[in-house]
Amino acid sequence: MTVMPEANITDKVQVAYQLCMSGQVQGVGFRPFVYRTATTLGITGWVQNGKGNVIIHAQADEPCINRFIYQLLHQAPAIARPTLEHKNSADLEDLSEFTIRASRSLSKPVIHTPPDYYLCGDCIRELNDPTNRRYRYPFINCTQCGPRYSIIHQLPYDRINTSMSEFVLCPDCQKEYADPHDRRFHAEPVACPVCGPQLTFCSEEKIISDTQQALSKAIDFLHAGKIIAVKGIGGYHLICDARNDEAIQNLRLRKARPHKPFAIMFPAQGDDGLDFVRQYTKLDQVAAQLLTNPARPIVLLETEQRHELSDNIAPGLKQLGIFLPYSPLHYLLLQEFNAPIIASSANISGEPVLTDNDEVEQRLAHIADAFLHHNRRIVRPADDSVYQLINNLPRPIRLGRGVSPLELELPFNIDTPVLAVGGQMKNTIALAWDNRLLVSPHIGELDSPRSMEVFEQAINDLQNLYEIEATIVACDAHPDYRSHRWAKQSGKKIVPVFHHHAHASALVLENIQAEVTQKPWLVFTWDGTGYGEGGSLWGGEALFGQPGAWQRVASFKPFYLPGGDRAGREPWRSAAALCWQAGINYRATQQVALFKSAWDKRINCPSSTSVGRLFDAASSLTGLLDKTSFEGQGAIYLEAQLDSRTDALSEAEPLAMHLNEKNILEADWSSLLPILRNKDLSVAQRSQYFHSTLAATLLKKSALLRECYGDFYIGLTGGVFQNKHLTEYIIKMMQQQGFVVHLNKQLPCNDAGLSAGQIMEVASRLARTD
């Protein structure tokens, strides 16, 4: 007979603990999960929301408490991300059951704002069930899906603190909302056709207030080739039939968007929702997982065949931006229409997406033929997130719905809260305190009153939601950026950060190593433009060191850009600058002669080292385009010339380089010009040469700098490294030479990552002085 150890007899003694669960635990069905788990295990106590966290009082024997904690951490709802903040002994209370208590506030909030979620499988089944009371209801949701961030006024995340407070629950919904065993228990946006939001269809012909009739009329308009502004979760989309050339051309003309590609929303079909998408592109596992990720982002994918899709969706490009319906309204529209639709952000170019019913009719009346509104207010805009796959991993291009506000962890604590206000293009803002860093959704270009309005709203929102007031404002060093001007007028201490220092620091933040001894970094920051030392325009730099202590060690031969910032939209200016500087004649026209005269005198011709402008010059010299209608068009078109069916790039000789007077390793772009101007070669051949030469140049710089500085981590960041072919080839070649290469993972490598990099840069300086 086996005798149990004496110690186990005492394990049945009742103990009490207070558990604090933080992380993503509000708005995800975590409290009912805690309730069900505790009840199953026979635990008594209670659970309640705090400000951003969940507090649990649990009473049972010690082994039972341990099983309880394990299940809370490892068997939580799919969209929950719980962490155990602390486990403290507590006094036993006279309790006979486990209950869910009303929310309470803490003296020190630990807040995590839930993002907006896609339509879950359970709700889809109800949506398609004619016997269900929410059959075909466009606002169906539960604790696992539905709007969050876009409807929250303040935390804790309770219905009264959201725009859903305007809708009084009917008895049936109230019963579900109050039942801990129901999957809609405290699903704050819960609603049904009786008590919830409704659709309204507006056109010149009529206004339809019945939800099902409004939905049907929108489908009729799509079939008729019309353009409709449809209100979603975080804003409006402009939609039309993706097979209809005339409809898409009308959208381009009305929106003044002649070339920029449109995103396409595909109907969800098949077990994983991707059967329709597979007709157009080969999906590997990574791409399929990204498309069906809870964030439901737009994913850039090369298409195998486009079947009946219009060629006007992405003219001149091989990639399409593809995504699946993520709200019940989108799901119903696509299910009924049974074909892909254009789903473009409803905005004036460069501005944040529009959210207000009246404003969208006023500002987009010249674009949309009709409007499909609903009466659930959007508290703050959240555009769709955009990703691409580089080196077989998802890389963000734009942070938005389902992803942001994005929370990252600083590698150290800071005592002083810091606000970072980003750059001018692709603006985001960031807020940091303790070891927490939050990045806002995409705001856009800060060159319009509405953009500045949303910019200021995002600044106020983050500080108010998280109850943190920043005392330091980090900003881009460029004095003419509107974000910089706002920082100067804020009345707070401002810390300007060089553009490319912020890029480098953002990359390091994401890839910081858990080693005792840190190696330094060599980060290549290649983009279109950024304010550098002495007011020069950088864009082809290699920075050595670490956040807060960067040294510029490599660059490109400077050239002088006629017209300054205008060169970013007119690639011919970059082409002319390179030719003139190399002593080569460029187009003998009267207009060009006037610019050449100004260039000779260096009038409005700032010095630039930008690789982005080298791409612009190459796109012009190869005859692809002289003027662009969207940012980066020249580089995107040049990459599209590469053969995606084979290894697009090949070994090439690096550019000549030397140490300049500042001891910076400088590459000379002059040898690119004869090939780029050689019309006996195809554009594809010239593009391959250009890309391959840049890759070889980066590899050579890395090798020479390793001889000088020893071992280091390599980083690639800046908008140029959104180029999939170039980046993947560089990684392949670098690995063959023993380098380990790091890319951005959660932050865009473009200017949308600047705010996080500004935080990391300033926080590193603060930590160093402490």
Side-chain angles (χ1 to χ4, degrees):
M1 176 178 175
T2 303
V3 179
M4 296 296 290
E6 186 74 16
N8 283 343
I9 297 173
T10 63
D11 285 346
K12 298 300 182 181
V13 174
Q14 289 271 307
V15 294
Y17 287 100
Q18 186 179 90
L19 312 176
C20 177
M21 310 297 295
S22 61
Q24 200 163 292
V25 290
Q26 289 197 8
V28 294
F30 191 71
R31 282 182 302 162
F33 162 71
V34 172
Y35 171 87
R36 291 190 293 269
T37 304
T39 303
T40 301
L41 292 173
I43 293 172
T44 60
W46 46 262
V47 59
Q48 68 181 171
N49 273 347
K51 278 199 173 179
N53 55 16
V54 168
I55 309 300
I56 303 166
H57 179 88
Q59 297 182 172
D61 57 71
E62 196 78 43
C64 188
I65 295 291
N66 290 335
R67 285 196 298 273
F68 179 54
I69 293 172
Y70 179 86
Q71 290 184 31
L72 295 185
L73 293 172
H74 300 285
Q75 297 174 14
I79 58 176
R81 299 289 186 273
T83 58
L84 180 61
E85 191 76 20
H86 60 72
K87 171 189 175 185
N88 295 333
S89 294
D91 294 333
L92 285 165
E93 299 179 11
D94 185 14
L95 300 170
S96 60
E97 60 182 353
F98 196 91
T99 60
I100 298 175
R101 292 185 174 179
S103 301
R104 71 183 178 94
S105 297
L106 298 177
S107 56
K108 184 179 180 182
V110 183
I111 294 166
H112 299 266
T113 306
D116 300 307
Y117 292 117
Y118 75 112
L119 180 64
C120 74
D122 289 334
C123 284
I124 288 176
R125 283 187 285 275
E126 291 182 351
L127 193 69
N128 291 321
D129 180 1
T131 66
N132 192 280
R133 69 189 188 91
R134 293 187 176 90
Y135 175 58
R136 290 180 57 81
Y137 180 55
F139 306 97
I140 189 172
N141 66 82
C142 68
T143 53
Q144 294 300 295
C145 64
R148 269 44 172 192
Y149 173 77
S150 61
I151 63 170
I152 294 172
H153 290 295
Q154 62 184 41
L155 293 171
Y157 175 57
D158 290 328
R159 188 179 181 93
I160 195 172
N161 293 329
T162 74
S163 60
M164 285 302 295
S165 63
E166 300 163 15
F167 300 92
V168 178
L169 292 173
C170 67
D172 287 335
C173 285
Q174 180 62 46
K175 182 179 177 181
E176 294 170 330
Y177 183 82
D179 182 359
H181 296 283
D182 195 287
R183 67 186 180 87
R184 290 192 170 88
F185 174 74
H186 276 263
E188 309 306 345
V190 70
C192 76
V194 173
C195 64
Q198 303 292 334
L199 294 177
T200 301
F201 182 88
C202 298
S203 69
E204 288 185 353
E205 303 169 15
K206 60 176 65 177
I207 296 175
I208 301 173
S209 297
D210 178 85
T211 290
Q212 295 304 322
Q213 291 180 24
L215 194 60
S216 296
K217 193 65 175 177
I219 300 297
D220 292 343
F221 265 55
L222 282 175
H223 282 300
K226 302 293 186 179
I227 299 164
I228 312 171
V230 177
K231 187 176 183 179
I233 289 180
Y236 279 81
H237 284 109
L238 289 165
I239 71 168
C240 65
D241 187 345
R243 304 163 300 176
N244 190 315
D245 288 326
E246 184 179 355
I248 297 170
Q249 185 58 28
N250 284 337
L251 181 57
R252 290 201 175 281
L253 289 172
R254 296 177 192 177
K255 202 178 180 189
R257 183 171 169 165
H259 308 109
K260 190 175 182 180
F262 289 123
I264 312 173
M265 188 180 286
F266 280 82
Q269 290 187 358
D271 291 341
D272 62 357
L274 294 172
D275 285 0
F276 216 123
V277 176
R278 288 189 178 93
Q279 298 176 31
Y280 296 85
T281 183
K282 286 185 178 180
L283 291 178
D284 60 20
Q285 185 176 2
V286 177
Q289 287 176 346
L290 185 54
L291 281 167
T292 56
N293 180 284
R296 289 295 193 270
I298 297 170
V299 182
L300 302 185
L301 295 172
E302 290 199 1
T303 52
E304 294 293 307
Q305 46 190 332
R306 298 194 179 182
H307 299 288
E308 74 278 14
L309 291 182
S310 170
D311 291 333
N312 205 17
I313 294 171
L317 303 179
K318 298 173 183 176
Q319 287 186 322
L320 291 178
I322 292 170
F323 65 141
L324 294 176
Y326 53 84
S327 78
L329 175 55
H330 294 125
Y331 184 90
L332 290 169
L333 281 169
L334 271 294
Q335 184 184 56
E336 183 77 16
F337 190 61
N338 198 35
I341 61 169
I342 299 297
S344 176
S345 299
N347 60 355
I348 305 301
S349 183
E351 289 187 358
V353 63
L354 291 166
T355 60
D356 180 75
N357 299 21
D358 292 335
E359 185 178 16
V360 81
E361 287 200 25
Q362 292 168 6
R363 302 196 68 194
L364 300 184
H366 65 292
I367 299 177
D369 297 306
F371 300 86
L372 187 60
H373 301 300
H374 62 70
N375 58 339
R376 183 179 65 205
R377 283 192 304 109
I378 298 172
V379 175
R380 60 185 62 80
D383 217 331
D384 298 310
S385 298
V386 182
Y387 281 76
Q388 64 177 332
L389 295 170
I390 295 181
N391 208 34
N392 211 36
L393 286 174
R395 313 288 177 182
I397 295 174
R398 184 172 75 197
L399 299 175
R401 173 197 44 78
V403 177
S404 54
L406 174 69
E407 180 159 355
L408 301 172
E409 186 175 323
L410 291 169
F412 39 70
N413 276 38
I414 56 173
D415 297 327
T416 306
V418 180
L419 170 72
V421 294
Q424 179 75 8
M425 308 285 285
K426 298 179 173 64
N427 182 269
T428 61
I429 64 108
L431 179 67
W433 71 101
D434 297 338
N435 69 336
R436 300 180 65 186
L437 189 158
L438 289 143
V439 183
S440 76
H442 170 81
I443 295 170
E445 279 61 80
L446 299 184
D447 53 5
S448 71
R450 171 162 167 78
S451 295
M452 290 304 298
E453 176 186 322
V454 174
F455 167 78
E456 292 182 355
Q457 179 189 2
I459 289 171
N460 293 329
D461 275 352
L462 281 190
Q463 293 183 99
N464 292 336
L465 280 175
Y466 291 87
E467 299 186 13
I468 296 293
E469 183 177 358
T471 55
I472 295 176
V473 179
C475 61
D476 194 282
H478 199 305
D480 292 332
Y481 280 4
R482 292 195 177 188
S483 53
H484 181 105
R485 292 176 183 174
W486 183 93
K488 286 188 71 174
Q489 294 168 3
S490 69
K492 300 181 185 292
K493 176 184 177 182
I494 74 164
V495 182
V497 176
F498 282 130
H499 190 95
H500 296 91
H501 289 186
H503 271 313
S505 292
L507 182 135
V508 173
L509 168 65
E510 290 196 77
N511 292 278
I512 201 136
Q513 304 296 306
E515 297 178 8
V516 176
T517 304
Q518 288 285 311
K519 289 186 290 187
W521 284 80
L522 180 67
V523 183
F524 289 89
T525 57
W526 288 5
D527 64 3
T529 186
Y531 195 83
E533 293 170 356
S536 60
L537 301 180
W538 289 357
E541 318 318 309
L543 303 175
F544 178 76
Q546 58 187 328
W550 293 112
Q551 176 188 357
R552 185 171 174 240
V553 294
S555 187
F556 283 78
K557 177 182 176 181
F559 49 97
Y560 296 92
L561 285 173
D565 289 342
R566 290 193 64 180
R569 286 297 179 105
E570 300 181 18
W572 74 266
R573 293 174 183 266
S574 296
L578 299 188
C579 289
W580 292 337
Q581 200 145 331
I584 299 171
N585 290 328
Y586 180 83
R587 295 183 193 170
T589 68
Q590 185 175 0
Q591 183 185 24
V592 169
L594 290 173
F595 280 109
K596 176 63 163 61
S597 176
W599 184 87
D600 287 336
K601 299 170 184 174
R602 299 294 186 261
I603 298 173
N604 192 23
C605 293
S607 172
S608 174
T609 58
S610 167
V611 174
R613 296 293 84 84
L614 292 181
F615 268 92
D616 284 346
S619 68
S620 177
L621 292 171
T622 54
L624 286 173
L625 76 173
D626 283 338
K627 293 185 178 181
T628 66
S629 61
F630 65 92
E631 187 194 7
Q633 185 179 359
I636 292 170
Y637 277 24
L638 197 67
E639 183 187 8
Q641 296 298 313
L642 299 173
D643 189 349
S644 60
R645 294 168 297 176
T646 60
D647 287 337
L649 305 185
S650 57
E651 288 191 37
E653 290 296 315
L655 296 174
M657 56 190 77
H658 68 281
L659 287 174
N660 66 16
E661 67 280 359
K662 296 181 179 178
N663 209 34
I664 294 170
L665 188 61
E666 189 177 278
D668 187 348
W669 38 261
S670 303
S671 60
L672 292 169
L673 298 180
I675 300 295
L676 292 175
R677 299 174 71 243
N678 186 348
K679 294 183 180 179
D680 292 334
L681 299 174
S682 68
V683 175
Q685 288 173 314
R686 287 181 275 175
S687 176
Q688 183 188 53
Y689 170 80
F690 177 80
H691 282 85
S692 299
T693 301
L694 286 182
T697 301
L698 189 148
L699 181 63
K700 181 66 174 177
K701 285 181 176 179
S702 300
L704 291 173
L705 291 167
R706 182 163 59 180
E707 292 175 7
C708 180
Y709 293 104
D711 199 17
F712 42 65
Y713 301 119
I714 290 278
L716 307 177
T717 190
V720 166
F721 294 110
Q722 292 176 156
N723 185 312
K724 178 179 172 70
H725 288 94
L726 176 67
T727 304
E728 290 184 342
Y729 182 71
I730 287 173
I731 292 171
K732 174 184 172 183
M733 299 302 292
M734 296 283 275
Q735 289 174 342
Q736 291 176 3
Q737 297 297 319
F739 290 105
V740 178
V741 182
H742 297 276
L743 305 179
N744 292 93
K745 295 180 281 192
Q746 293 178 273
L747 293 165
C749 65
N750 58 44
D751 284 7
L754 286 177
S755 60
Q758 291 165 356
I759 293 280
M760 183 64 175
E761 185 71 7
V762 172
S764 298
R765 298 179 198 174
L766 291 173
R768 195 164 291 118
T769 56
D770 291 346

